[in-house]
């Protein structure tokens, strides 16, 4: 029997995280008592509380904790939390305490698990796989690292034969999974505080790929060395599965999809970016191999609405375009900016970027400088520290990074002053990008551009 079935109470330490909240929703939907702690009250924690989950935001041992019994309570934590009084209490009182990745592995081990890994693209690809499963009415559940615009959630229950999971490489979490099917989108250097260097993160992905029992059920972006036989996918170059003939018509992307034996023309969707067609190619390859027909897949691709903060695009009547994206690595930023420049080559691009983590800023400073230098104008925000402290990264600041960016029109701002600076700028396209709390600018920017359009009509 799965040990998870022995518990009635589930306490989440760091419940507001995108991966943790999906698990919390799973147990809550299963009729279990779910409660937890997070240091910050967000839109996501508000939604969880509306769904009946009890959340506190103070690191105190209250009655809700002391009345829990270790025999019927499982404590789940995220490795991003290093020290916390609540976590110490559970450990000292000999509660069963497991990492999120371990619990996710236990949930999915009795399913046909479809795991999507990669330093970039895994959220879009796993969400798209889930959407295609839903449109094909396959019996599946999904645990996502972003909020699907179609589901309005990062979790969906539609059965238990299949599970779709975003396989997180941080802290080598994805090695806890038992994937029957897998995608590897990228193996770029990241999380060097965990892996040390690029060779070690590449080795981590090879270990993940080795978990897949069947070569024909492992799909890897062409050009990646994954250490074993696999199926390849690509865009604009021949692979086992590939897409080409990309073109934009009336703000929709058209492309053709090729399998080893046939070509299916004119897939169409509204998700911009060559990198997103690459993600779609991997998802289509998986669903094709699960036996889903191409008429269903075409309809599903056409009504896919995307993921919150993954190239969320608004086009206004005055011609301005606003794009918001979660990219926080140089490769991701380069993909977004390059896509904008490809499809809108003559429009003036203003980028507002918030670096995420001092360590990532330090490790990839030259890459950030190169990708940000492709903008026409840049507002660089202060570094979002997350779990890190400035005192441990002396000299690593946004001012230091800004000096490396080869751009005439550039300046630094704190988050509180960024909106006023944006309103002073002349731009055709505005891109806000980053993984911290830059998303707080989203609503004010939308309201401002909308009101500007209304005032000119």
């Amino acid at each position: 029997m799965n040990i998870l079935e022995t518990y009635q109470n589930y306490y989440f330490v760091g419940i507001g995280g995108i991966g943790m909240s999906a698990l919390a929703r799973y147990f809550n939907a299963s009729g279990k008592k779910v409660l937890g702690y997070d240091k910050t009250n967000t839109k996501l924690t508000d939604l969880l509380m509306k769904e009946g989950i009890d959340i506190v935001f103070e690191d105190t041992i209250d009655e809700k904790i002391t009345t829990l019994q270790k025999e019927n309570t499982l404590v789940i934590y995220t490795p991003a939390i290093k020290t916390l009084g609540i976590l110490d209490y559970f450990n000292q009182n000999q509660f069963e305490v497991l990492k999120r990745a371990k619990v996710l592995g236990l949930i999915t081990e009795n399913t046909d698990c479809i795991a999507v890994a990669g330093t970039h693209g895994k959220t879009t690809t796993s969400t798209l796989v889930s959407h295609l499963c839903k449109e094909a009415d396959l019996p599946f559940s999904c645990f996502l690292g972003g909020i699907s615009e179609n589901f309005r959630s990062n979790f969906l229950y539609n059965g238990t034969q299949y599970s779709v999971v975003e396989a997180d490489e941080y802290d080598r979490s994805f090695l806890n999974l038992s994937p029957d099917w897998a995608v590897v989108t990228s193996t770029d250097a990241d999380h060097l505080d965990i892996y040390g260097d690029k060779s070690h993160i590449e080795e981590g992905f090879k270990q993940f790929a080795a978990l897949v029992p069947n070569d024909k059920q492992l799909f890897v972006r062409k050009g990646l060395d994954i250490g074993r036989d696999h199926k390849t996918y690509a865009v604009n170059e021949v692979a086992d599965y590939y897409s080409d003939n990309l073109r934009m018509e009336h703000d929709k992307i058209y492309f053709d999809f090729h399998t080893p034996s046939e070509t299916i023309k004119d897939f169409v969707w509204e998700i911009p970016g060559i990198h997103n067609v690459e993600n779609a190619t991997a998802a289509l390859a998986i669903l094709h191999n699960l036996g889903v027909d191409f008429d269903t897949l075409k309809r599903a691709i056409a009504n896919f609405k995307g993921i919150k903060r993954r190239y969320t695009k608004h086009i206004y009547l005055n011609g301005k375009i606003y794009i918001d994206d979660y990219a926080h690595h140089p490769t991701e930023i380069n993909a977004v900016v390059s896509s904008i420049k490809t499809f809108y080559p003559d429009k003036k691009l203003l980028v507002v970027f918030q670096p995420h983590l001092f360590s990532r800023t330090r490790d990839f400073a030259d890459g950030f400088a190169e990708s940000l230098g492709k903008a026409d104008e840049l507002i660089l925000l202060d570094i979002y520290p997350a779990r890190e402290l400035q005192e441990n990264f002396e000299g690593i600041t946004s001012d230091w990074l800004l000096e490396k960016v080869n751009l005439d029109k550039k300046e630094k701002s704190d988050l509180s002053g960024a909106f006023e600076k944006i309103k002073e700028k002349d731009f055709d396209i505005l891109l806000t990008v980053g993984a911290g709390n830059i998303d707080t600018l989203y609503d004010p920017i939308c309201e401002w551009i909308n009101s500007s359009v209304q005032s000119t009509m």
Side-chain angles (χ1 to χ4, degrees):
M1 182 178 69
N2 192 314
I3 66 167
L4 296 178
E5 297 175 11
T6 65
Y7 300 106
Q8 292 301 313
N9 305 311
Y10 294 81
Y11 196 101
F12 286 79
V13 181
I15 195 169
I18 193 70
M20 290 283 277
S21 60
L23 280 181
R25 282 171 156 158
Y26 168 80
F27 287 115
N28 191 49
S30 302
K32 305 296 185 179
K33 180 180 179 182
V34 179
L35 58 166
Y37 158 86
D38 205 276
K39 67 177 181 179
T40 306
N41 190 355
T42 64
K43 291 181 179 178
L44 183 51
T45 56
D46 285 343
L47 287 172
L48 294 177
M49 289 188 284
K50 288 179 181 177
E51 292 167 17
I53 296 174
D54 196 343
I55 302 176
V56 298
F57 302 96
E58 298 292 334
D59 183 18
T60 56
I61 311 303
D62 58 18
E63 186 177 355
K64 294 175 183 176
I65 290 177
T66 58
T67 55
L68 293 173
Q69 302 297 313
K70 65 181 180 181
E71 292 78 16
N72 64 359
T73 302
L74 178 63
V75 180
I76 303 166
Y77 75 102
T78 168
I81 292 181
K82 306 300 183 184
T83 59
L84 194 74
I86 290 174
L87 193 56
D88 291 341
Y89 171 87
F90 286 124
N91 281 314
Q92 290 164 6
N93 286 276
Q94 299 181 319
F95 280 73
E96 184 74 25
V97 179
L98 298 177
K99 287 184 179 180
R100 180 193 68 88
K102 177 65 175 178
V103 176
L104 183 58
L106 290 170
I107 290 173
T108 59
E109 66 181 7
N110 295 319
T111 69
D112 287 330
C113 178
I114 304 168
V116 181
T119 44
H120 325 295
K122 60 181 175 289
T123 300
T124 299
T125 306
S126 58
T127 304
L128 182 53
V129 169
S130 300
H131 173 69
L132 298 181
C133 285
K134 177 66 167 61
E135 293 297 296
D137 199 26
L138 297 182
F140 81 104
S141 298
C142 64
F143 303 84
L144 306 174
I147 304 298
S148 162
E149 293 282 14
N150 291 87
F151 307 154
R152 299 289 179 178
S153 180
N154 54 349
F155 167 74
L156 184 70
Y157 178 87
N158 197 53
T160 58
Q161 179 179 343
Y162 299 97
S163 60
V164 181
V165 300
E166 180 171 325
D168 187 5
E169 74 276 5
Y170 178 73
D171 199 37
R172 296 180 172 84
S173 293
F174 54 5
L175 300 183
N176 290 279
L177 300 173
S178 300
D180 299 283
W181 302 76
V183 176
V184 178
T185 65
S186 49
T187 60
D188 292 317
D190 200 0
H191 304 302
L192 298 187
D193 54 328
I194 299 294
Y195 289 93
D197 58 33
K198 180 175 173 57
S199 66
H200 283 89
I201 195 168
E202 289 174 343
E203 180 58 32
F205 278 100
K206 289 178 180 178
Q207 292 173 0
F208 167 76
L211 298 175
V212 182
N214 188 333
D215 295 341
K216 295 180 180 179
Q217 295 178 191
L218 173 63
F219 299 82
V220 180
R221 184 172 63 82
K222 187 175 181 179
L224 297 182
D225 177 13
I226 210 66
R228 60 169 290 184
D229 290 338
H230 58 271
K231 295 296 183 181
T232 60
Y233 71 92
V235 168
N236 289 333
E237 61 175 316
V238 176
D240 293 320
Y241 297 86
Y242 67 101
S243 296
D244 62 5
N245 195 23
L246 278 64
R247 65 266 188 210
M248 175 176 278
E249 298 179 15
H250 306 293
D251 283 314
K252 293 186 177 182
I253 302 293
Y254 289 75
F255 62 93
D256 299 340
F257 175 70
H258 304 264
T259 78
S261 61
E262 59 185 317
T263 296
I264 302 87
K265 292 184 175 294
D266 294 334
F267 278 86
V268 57
W269 68 348
E270 298 182 0
I271 310 302
I274 295 170
H275 60 294
N276 280 321
V277 175
E278 187 175 83
N279 297 331
T281 304
L284 288 170
I286 289 271
L287 271 292
H288 169 65
N289 279 272
L290 290 178
V292 179
D293 65 272
F294 283 115
D295 286 341
T296 298
L297 294 177
K298 271 194 170 184
R299 288 195 303 270
I301 286 286
N303 64 31
F304 180 61
K305 298 178 181 178
I307 305 104
K308 285 187 181 296
R309 301 215 65 228
R310 265 63 172 191
Y311 213 104
T312 300
K313 184 174 72 169
H314 301 275
I315 301 175
Y316 296 90
L317 293 176
N318 62 0
K320 289 191 181 298
I321 298 172
Y322 173 38
I323 299 169
D324 182 47
D325 198 275
Y326 188 74
H328 54 284
H329 184 282
T331 302
E332 297 168 342
I333 295 171
N334 190 61
V336 174
V337 173
S338 296
S339 288
I340 293 171
K341 289 293 186 178
T342 296
F343 292 112
Y344 304 102
D346 299 323
K347 291 187 180 293
K348 186 184 298 182
L349 173 63
L350 168 64
V351 173
V352 183
F353 173 55
Q354 182 186 52
H356 184 264
L357 297 178
F358 299 112
S359 59
R360 184 179 282 119
T361 305
R362 175 199 63 198
D363 294 338
F364 303 110
D366 291 341
F368 281 124
E370 182 180 357
S371 58
L372 294 171
K374 296 179 179 179
D376 296 299
E377 189 166 0
L378 171 67
I379 299 175
L380 184 64
L381 304 186
D382 292 323
I383 297 170
Y384 184 80
R387 56 187 178 271
E388 297 179 341
L389 299 174
Q390 174 74 80
E391 63 195 52
N392 296 327
F393 297 90
E394 185 177 352
I396 306 302
T397 65
S398 287
D399 288 305
W400 170 78
L401 176 59
L402 191 66
E403 290 182 5
K404 294 178 175 290
V405 180
N406 183 20
L407 197 64
D408 291 334
K409 294 184 177 181
K410 61 180 183 178
E411 63 182 294
K412 192 193 80 75
S413 174
D414 56 23
L415 180 63
S416 63
F419 181 50
E420 291 304 317
K421 288 183 181 295
I422 291 169
K423 291 196 291 185
E424 297 170 357
K425 302 298 182 182
D426 176 29
F427 62 85
D428 300 311
I429 301 176
L430 169 63
L431 169 66
T432 52
V433 63
N437 58 353
I438 189 174
D439 61 327
T440 58
L441 294 175
Y442 178 81
D443 288 338
I445 289 172
C446 289
E447 291 171 6
W448 165 61
I449 300 180
N450 268 323
S451 63
S452 299
V453 171
Q454 294 297 323
S455 65
T456 59
M457 293 180 64

